[in-house]
Amino acid sequence: MAYLLIEHDVTDFDRWKPVYDGHEDRRRQAGLKEVLLLQDIENPKKVVLLFEAADLKKAREFLESDDLQKTMQRAGVVGIPSFFFLDRPALRKAA
């Protein structure tokens, strides 16, 4: 299973959250399932999201979509978000 980690800043978490929630169907269509939504303890304007990514091609297309860009702008995302596609390393037996 692949994962997508997103980190970005928002102008106001309480403004951002309803817009984020309203975009859930588009994330699902892209094969993304939320695993964690986190806020930085010392800077509540920093948001970190972890998703399971069932289809990397669809997930990448979603990240590059005009729809996502417009939604992030409307939600108050500031700066350039960081996106990381991740995988769990295979467990290895100690020799």
Side-chain angles (χ1 to χ4, degrees):
M1 171 65 63
Y3 295 88
L4 170 61
L5 181 74
I6 300 174
E7 178 184 333
H8 60 64
D9 294 325
V10 297
T11 56
D12 178 347
F13 184 85
D14 292 332
R15 172 183 165 204
W16 171 85
K17 183 70 164 74
V19 178
Y20 169 78
D21 290 343
H23 208 234
E24 182 178 1
D25 286 342
R26 293 288 294 127
R27 292 191 300 274
R28 282 187 192 197
Q29 291 171 11
L32 298 173
K33 178 183 174 188
E34 181 185 305
V35 177
L36 287 172
L37 164 60
L38 304 166
Q39 253 182 310
D40 186 305
I41 291 172
E42 298 196 12
N43 177 6
K45 294 181 179 185
K46 181 164 297 297
V47 177
V48 177
L49 300 142
L50 180 65
F51 297 95
E52 289 180 353
D55 185 322
L56 292 179
K57 182 177 184 244
K58 282 184 181 179
R60 285 188 172 99
E61 289 170 356
F62 172 74
L63 293 179
E64 295 171 1
S65 72
D66 288 339
D67 175 63
L68 179 61
Q69 302 308 313
K70 289 176 184 175
T71 301
M72 287 191 304
Q73 185 176 20
R74 192 172 79 248
V77 173
V78 293
I80 299 172
S82 297
F83 303 107
F84 304 93
F85 285 99
L86 307 167
D87 199 0
R88 297 175 79 175
L91 298 176
R92 297 183 184 143
K93 293 182 180 180

